[in-house]
Each structure stands twice: as C-alpha cells, then as structure tokens.
C-alpha cells in the first residue's frame, strides 16, 4: 500500500492504475459541486477496470452516488457508516458510497462485471 498526497481534481497518475481508490472525509471540502464531480471523475479515471471505489463522507453522498452511476460504475451502494462515524452526533453521520468500474470487453460484447 502507498499513500500519496495530491490535488484530488488533478491526480498525477496514469489511467487504470489502482485496484482500489478510497476517499475518506475529503471531497466535501470542495465547496463547488463541479469540483466534487471532478474529484470523483479523477478517482474513477485512475481506477483499473474491475477496481473498487470507496467514498466516505459527511455530506453530498447522494451527489456522489449519482456521479459514479453517470460514470458507468456498477454494484453501487450507499450506506451509513454507523454510530462510530458520527461527527458530534447523529445529525452529522458519515455515509459510504461504493462502486465497481466495469471491465472492458471486445467491441460488440457489452460490459463485463468481475
């Protein structure tokens, strides 16, 4: 495992590099919805086909779910992270959005799932 620090809207990695991309309590810090969408698009760009995306955050997770669906991920879930991930109480819970990037297949064969 490696930890990198970078601008989440312009990741310095080639396409399809990582098996798993995780963002924990970070994307909500981008105040603009367009910036949040850019961060998710970058996460999906660097995720390899068949790889898993995990986004944990305290706000905007419905937007995140819609974004990963628009980007073509499948097996998308959105669920609460539980009481241990509340920030100062149940009025600020953490939710987790997950999805899997489709595996590319030969032209005319559709999209395969892992």
């Amino acid at each position: 495992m490696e930890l990198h620090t970078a601008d989440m809207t312009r990741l310095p990695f080639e396409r399809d590099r990582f098996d798993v991309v995780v963002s924990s309590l970070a994307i909500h810090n981008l105040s603009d919805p367009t910036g949040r969408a850019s961060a998710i698009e970058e996460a999906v760009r660097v995720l390899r086909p068949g790889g898993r995306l995990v986004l944990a955050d305290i706000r905007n997770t419905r937007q995140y779910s819609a974004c990963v669906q628009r980007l073509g991920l499948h097996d998308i879930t959105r669920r609460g992270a539980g009481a241990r991930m509340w920030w100062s109480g149940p009025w600020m819970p953490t939710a987790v959005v997950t999805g899997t990037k489709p595996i590319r297949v030969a032209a005319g064969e559709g999209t395969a799932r892992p």
Side-chain angles (χ1 to χ4, degrees):
M1 178 166 71
E2 297 176 14
L3 176 65
H4 296 269
T5 301
D7 178 345
M8 69 179 99
T9 64
R10 288 187 303 272
L11 295 173
F13 306 109
E14 67 271 7
R15 175 177 302 280
D16 301 338
R17 177 169 177 190
F18 298 102
D19 296 326
V20 178
V21 175
V22 176
S23 173
S24 182
L25 304 167
I27 297 175
H28 75 271
N29 290 303
L30 298 171
S31 59
D32 178 34
T34 303
R36 292 190 297 271
S38 292
I40 295 168
E41 289 165 3
E42 278 292 281
V44 171
R45 181 184 68 78
V46 301
L47 188 64
R48 74 163 175 78
R52 195 80 172 141
L53 178 67
V54 181
L55 307 172
D57 223 323
I58 56 173
R59 291 191 299 268
N60 310 308
T61 56
R62 283 186 177 84
Q63 175 194 3
Y64 303 170
S65 292
C67 188
V68 297
Q69 184 175 21
R70 177 181 56 79
L71 293 169
L73 274 64
H74 59 82
D75 298 329
I76 299 166
T77 64
R78 182 180 166 272
R79 62 175 179 77
R84 288 186 172 184
M85 290 297 288
W86 288 349
W87 295 92
S88 70
W91 46 86
M92 195 179 291
T94 300
V96 180
V97 175
T98 62
T100 302
K101 188 171 183 178
I103 296 174
R104 294 184 199 104
V105 294
E109 294 183 20
T111 302
R113 293 182 180 208

